[in-house]
Amino acid sequence: MNVNALCAQLSMDEGRKYKIYVDTVGKRSLGVGRNLDDVGVSDDEIDLMLKNDVQRAVNLLNNNAPWWSQLTDARQQVMANMCFNMGWGDGTKGLSSFKNTLACIREGGYDRAADQMLLSVWAKQVGDRAARLANMMRKG
């Protein structure tokens, strides 16, 4: 069987949906007819999505805060983790709204940046994650 031909045929018949939708029998679905309610996703698929989402966060940082690449690996991980979680945003939401924190990081004021992180609404929302990331920011 020609798997590529079948995939093309299924893509035509099922359509390609980039967001979750409810199919004709009430099942949440995604992609080319993937029944999320009954089939779900595999670990390999989760890992692929995760890698793509991490790359998206890295690209956002590269485009909006190119200086971040000069940080230690641990501090890069903090920024990428936060960007993954919140997105970059538009200055009023997302990581871009952390203006004081970002300025402190850029200037090398890592303790102050960590303090700012912990004072945020985001820190209250994510709990232990914020404490761990602030500690990473401090220690580098």
Side-chain angles (χ1 to χ4, degrees):
M1 180 179 69
N2 183 332
V3 173
N4 290 334
L6 177 59
C7 288
Q9 186 180 60
L10 289 169
S11 291
M12 182 180 66
D13 292 339
E14 296 278 346
R16 297 176 70 87
K17 305 293 190 302
Y18 299 95
K19 294 190 177 188
I20 295 172
Y21 66 98
V22 177
D23 71 9
T24 58
V25 296
K27 301 289 184 171
R28 289 176 302 142
S29 300
L30 178 68
V32 179
R34 169 63 67 88
N35 178 333
L36 295 173
D37 289 333
D38 296 338
V39 177
V41 294
S42 68
D43 281 331
D44 288 343
E45 291 163 326
I46 291 170
D47 290 341
L48 177 61
M49 287 189 294
L50 175 59
K51 287 176 186 169
N52 287 340
D53 290 345
V54 165
Q55 189 59 55
R56 186 175 297 111
V58 166
N59 291 343
L60 286 168
L61 288 165
N62 286 340
N63 291 333
N64 293 288
W67 49 266
W68 88 290
S69 64
Q70 302 304 310
L71 299 172
T72 64
D73 184 71
R75 291 183 177 117
Q76 286 179 15
Q77 286 184 39
V78 170
M79 288 190 63
N81 189 314
M82 292 176 74
C83 192
F84 178 96
N85 179 240
M86 296 182 276
W88 180 256
D90 61 4
T92 62
K93 61 184 177 193
L95 185 56
S96 65
S97 69
F98 283 62
K99 291 176 180 48
N100 293 334
T101 303
L102 292 171
C104 290
I105 296 169
R106 187 172 187 174
E107 295 163 8
Y110 305 120
D111 287 332
R112 189 159 172 239
D115 292 342
Q116 294 286 320
M117 290 165 59
L118 293 173
L119 291 172
S120 69
V121 171
W122 166 81
K124 291 175 183 61
Q125 294 170 336
V126 300
D128 291 343
R129 179 184 197 168
R132 182 173 42 80
L133 294 178
N135 189 48
M136 288 174 67
M137 181 57 68
R138 284 184 209 288
K139 294 184 177 181

